[in-house]
Amino acid sequence: MAGVWNLVEGYLKRAVLGIQEYSVLTAKALRAIFARPFYWRDTLQQMDTIGVGSLGIVLLTGLFTGMVLALQSSIEMRRFGATIYIGRLVGASAVRELGPVLTALMVAGRVGAGMAAQLGSMKVTEQIDALNVIGTDPIKKLVTPRLLAALIMLPVLTIITDAVAIFGGMLIAVVKLDLTADLYMRSVYQTLAASGFVFGWVPKDVLQGLIKPIFFGAIIAMTGCYFGLQTRGGTEGVGVSTTRAVVTASILILAVDYFLTQLLISILFE
């Protein structure tokens, strides 16, 4: 019994230590955004990697998500003669939830793994130690540009996913359900407008769908960087860190999504 307790105690200590190190790394990276020197070239390079590099998978994810959502929903809605409202369902679902979450998961699988692999390779080949020797802060040089790029590009990619998902739903509505594109788009607009407006012109659903990717982008960047910098054991360790980064980021995205949804609903709709 004592042996089991020692194992549990050791696991809990490592978990708490990991959370502490993750939090400290995040705080240092955020603080470095506002301190000189500014590595703009590195940030732009990471924006290209995260944004342009993920564009293909984001387009495919949005298109087929919108098409499947409209196709599956039409089966039930046809029974009640409510297919004219398919735009409301697709628009609300894509903008509020599916767009931000699916975009984050796809980017986490592609970019989060890449960050962990890059930094992990630098760690095991002692390139990060070399940066310390020459007086360059590894966190500011390597982590902060990735964090800043993710904070900027995740909302942009989410907007693209939302638009493509709505377009995919429109294809099904026009081809399969014999609705007009104008009727479908008016239905989408009506459901977004019905949520109310912030600042007089931004629908609350849209605002909610753009706040989430900011947090998701931070999770992807910091998780990938954290596990990359924690890499041990050569090339095998790089593979382990990559896997842990993707799994942890995906779980955190889904968990944080729930709490963010609860918070935003209480703020925006109550």
Side-chain angles (χ1 to χ4, degrees), residues 61-236:
T61 300
L63 179 64
F64 287 109
T65 297
M67 294 174 67
V68 170
L69 183 60
L71 191 61
Q72 291 283 12
S73 302
S74 67
I75 297 174
E76 294 298 324
M77 299 183 76
R78 187 181 285 116
R79 296 176 183 175
F80 301 98
T83 54
I84 60 173
Y85 300 113
I86 197 73
R88 288 176 175 264
L89 188 147
V90 174
S93 300
V95 172
R96 290 177 188 172
E97 195 64 33
L98 292 180
V101 173
L102 290 178
T103 300
L105 291 175
M106 293 299 104
V107 174
R110 179 187 174 276
V111 176
M115 290 180 181
Q118 289 173 354
L119 296 186
S121 298
M122 295 180 68
K123 180 70 174 179
V124 298
T125 57
E126 300 182 350
Q127 296 181 49
I128 294 179
D129 294 334
L131 289 176
N132 283 318
V133 170
I134 64 176
T136 300
D137 184 358
I139 294 177
K140 185 163 185 59
K141 174 67 175 177
L142 301 175
V143 179
T144 298
R146 288 169 169 80
L147 173 60
L148 186 58
L151 291 176
I152 296 172
M153 296 311 301
L154 254 294
V156 175
L157 291 173
T158 299
I159 292 173
I160 295 173
T161 302
D162 293 344
V164 176
I166 291 173
F167 175 76
M170 185 180 70
L171 290 179
I172 297 299
V174 172
V175 175
K176 291 282 189 179
L177 306 179
D178 297 324
L179 300 178
T180 64
D182 179 67
L183 176 62
Y184 174 86
M185 293 306 299
R186 278 193 286 113
S187 181
V188 172
Y189 174 77
Q190 287 170 358
T191 192
L192 296 180
S195 66
F197 292 89
V198 179
F199 309 120
W201 62 278
V202 180
K204 291 182 179 179
D205 283 342
V206 174
L207 181 63
Q208 177 183 352
L210 291 180
I211 291 176
K212 290 181 179 181
I214 298 175
F215 290 89
F216 296 161
I219 289 173
I220 293 169
M222 295 313 305
T223 304
C225 292
Y226 171 76
F227 282 103
L229 294 175
Q230 293 293 316
T231 301
R232 302 288 187 276
T235 55
E236 183 179 352

